[in-house]
Amino acid sequence: MKRIVIKVGSAVLTENNKIAKERMLNLVSLIASLRKSYEIILVTSGAVAAGYSALKLDKSKQISKKAIAAAGQPILMSSYKKKFDIYNIDTAQILLTEDDFDSRKRTKMFQDIINTHLDNNIVPIVNENDITATPEELFGDNDQLSAYVAHSTNAELLVILSDIDGYYDKNPTEYKDAKIFKTITKLPKNALIGEATPNNTFATGGIITKLKAADFLMQRGRKMLLCNGFDLDSAKSFLLKGEHTLGTLFMSE
Ligand code: ADP
């Protein structure tokens, strides 16, 4: 069976500083329908938003993102569990940092765990473990983490669900005349240079980290689809019907 990684970002999973539960349910329902054709690994953000909305915080005081994420991660997982339970699908939590990809021994450890989950029809849900890690050990965004996960678990495709339809020649939230790329076989020069441009309070990535993820995978003969996570139609047609409607497909020639 084909193996894919689906990454959902904060822009899709959160709304008004809270977990967007309906969108989460739509995603879970998509995963449930994809399971007949694919082994699926989910990489998800949302721990900070989940913590932020659930904790009784004095909003006038500064509190670290790590502290909020530590409280939010179990809340995020419990939100997922409730939705996967509807489809009678078991889930597992995998927390990783950049260090886990540094040595073969450590990489093999989580590869084995993920393989065991998939063999037993469990959906592994991956997030960055930013609680104990130092900044040097962190990817800082789940775009690159999901690319590393896709490569090290031998997934043929990474699907990144974001708040845009794909990759444009310029930022579509700023320029109305921005044109979407349908397929990218080679990244435009200088595409990987620039500031991260996240479009949401909890987002850490922006387009640059998505392009870095695409570049990493294309160099290793793997593919990435960047598509809309609010409206899952383009992801559905691509994955279930093999029809590329909207969304940018990154693949080397
Ligand atoms: P997520 O939380 O899904 O990772 P981000 O906010 O980090 O989302 O990244 C997506 C945002 O990147 C878009 O909403 C858009 O504003 C911005 N962006 C900047 N340049 C581009 C571009 N050339 N094509 C598409 N999106 C872009």
Side-chain angles (χ1 to χ4, degrees), residues 7-12 45 143 160-164 166-174 181 197-200 202-207 209-211 226:
K7 181 258 168 180
V8 60
S10 302
V12 173
S45 310
D143 295 321
I160 293 197
L161 299 173
S162 189
D163 61 346
I164 30 149
Y167 173 45
Y168 292 75
D169 58 352
K170 49 194 164 191
N171 189 347
T173 50
E174 275 174 45
F181 295 106
T197 51
N199 193 28
N200 170 288
F202 298 113
T204 47
I207 198 68
T209 54
K210 291 170 186 57
L211 297 178
L226 172 62

Side-chain angles (χ1 to χ4, degrees), residues 68-85:
I68 301 177
Q73 181 63 26
I75 301 170
L76 177 69
M77 286 305 292
S78 124
S79 276
Y80 270 116
K81 181 164 168 29
K82 276 189 211 142
K83 289 160 192 67
F84 276 107
D85 278 349

Side-chain angles (χ1 to χ4, degrees), residues 3 6 18 23 31 42 51 61 63 73 81 95 103 107-108 110 138 152 163-164 191 195 202 204 208 221 232 252:
R3 185 174 285 189
I6 298 180
K18 285 197 194 105
R23 292 207 286 264
I31 293 176
L42 175 64
K61 284 191 195 139
I63 165 161
Q73 181 63 26
K81 181 164 168 29
L95 297 173
S103 78
T107 310
K108 192 174 179 309
F110 77 79
L138 287 172
S152 59
D163 61 346
I164 30 149
E195 294 289 309
F202 298 113
T204 47
I208 301 287
L232 294 169
S252 49

